Amino acid sequence: MSDPNVLKILQDAGIDVLSCMQCGTCSGSCPSGHYTILNTRRLVRKARKNKDMLHDDDLWMCATCYNCQERCPRGIKIVDAILSIRTIAVHEGIMLPEHRAVSQFMLEYGHAVPINDATKVMREGLGLELLPETVHKYPDALEDVKTLLRSCEFDKLVKD
Ligand code: SF4
Ligand code: SF4
C-alpha cells in the first residue's frame, strides 16, 4: 500500500488546515459528534500534523452537513478536507464494511438504500407518490446507472 501525503494533497487543493487554531467551534457545531465518536477538531489536528487519518474511524462519521465549515472562524474547508481524505482512503482500499455493503446495493439496485414496503407506506402517508423519481420509478434506467458506475470504476473501488 502506498503512503499518500495527505497534508500536501489538501494544501494542493487549497484546503489550509495549517491555519486551524484549535478553537473547537467545529466540534461544538457537529451534530454527528453528539451521537458518535467524531471529534472534528481532533480530525483537523491530525490533518495538520499529517498523521495517519486513513484508518481513523472518525473519518466516516461525518454526515457532511457543513455546519463546521460554515462556522469555522478561519474559513477552513473542513468538509472538503474530509471528503478528499475519504476519497484517498477508498482508493487505498480502506472503507467501512457498512459502506462497502451499501455500495453493493448501489451497484445492484441503483440505490444505496432501496425502497421497501415500510417506506412506501410512509410516502403514501405524506401524500407522495409510492415510488421516487429514480430507477425505482423508471426501471429501464437501471442499466444506464450500472453503465455509469462501471465506467467510473466504482464497482472496482467497492468490491469485497
Ligand atoms: S473551527 Fe476551524 S479553526 Fe476552530 S478548531 Fe475547527 S477547524 Fe480549527
Ligand atoms: S459536516 Fe461533518 S464534521 Fe462538520 S459538523 Fe457536519 S457532521 Fe460534523
Side-chain angles (χ1 to χ4, degrees):
M1 185 180 293
S2 61
D3 187 15
N5 185 332
V6 171
L7 178 59
K8 181 168 186 327
I9 292 169
L10 295 180
Q11 285 179 312
D12 289 348
I15 302 170
D16 182 20
V17 288
L18 290 178
S19 69
C20 172
M21 58 180 174
Q22 289 288 291
C23 66
T25 304
C26 48
S27 305
S29 307
C30 178
S32 294
H34 294 162
Y35 299 100
T36 71
I37 57 167
L38 173 58
N39 180 329
T40 318
R41 182 183 61 81
R42 190 183 69 82
L43 212 51
V44 176
R45 190 175 68 217
K46 279 184 95 170
R48 283 182 50 165
K49 295 188 170 180
N50 209 13
K51 292 199 168 165
D52 173 33
M53 300 173 68
L54 305 186
H55 297 87
D56 191 325
D57 281 351
D58 274 20
L59 187 60
W60 306 102
M61 300 299 147
C62 166
T64 65
C65 71
Y66 279 84
N67 265 4
C68 54
Q69 189 159 318
E70 286 174 355
R71 295 179 184 176
C72 173
R74 289 283 162 91
I76 299 170
K77 297 175 188 164
I78 302 166
V79 191
D80 300 358
I82 290 170
L83 292 176
S84 296
I85 299 163
R86 282 181 180 176
T87 301
I88 297 166
V90 171
H91 279 92
E92 292 291 319
I94 304 161
M95 65 193 297
L96 293 184
E98 293 84 353
H99 291 159
R100 212 177 282 285
V102 294
S103 298
Q104 302 309 316
F105 284 140
M106 193 69 203
L107 288 169
E108 191 169 347
Y109 303 109
H111 272 267
V113 184
I115 199 160
N116 57 24
D117 288 344
T119 306
K120 286 181 188 169
V121 169
M122 276 194 281
R123 288 180 64 86
E124 215 170 14
L126 292 166
L128 299 170
E129 283 188 50
L130 221 52
L131 295 174
E133 297 280 329
T134 67
V135 292
H136 281 327
K137 188 169 174 183
Y138 306 104
D140 289 350
L142 182 55
E143 274 313 307
D144 295 338
V145 171
K146 289 183 178 182
T147 301
L148 283 170
L149 291 171
R150 276 195 303 270
S151 70
C152 64
E153 303 196 331
F154 181 79
D155 53 336
K156 290 181 186 162
L157 275 180
V158 301
K159 74 176 188 300
D160 285 326

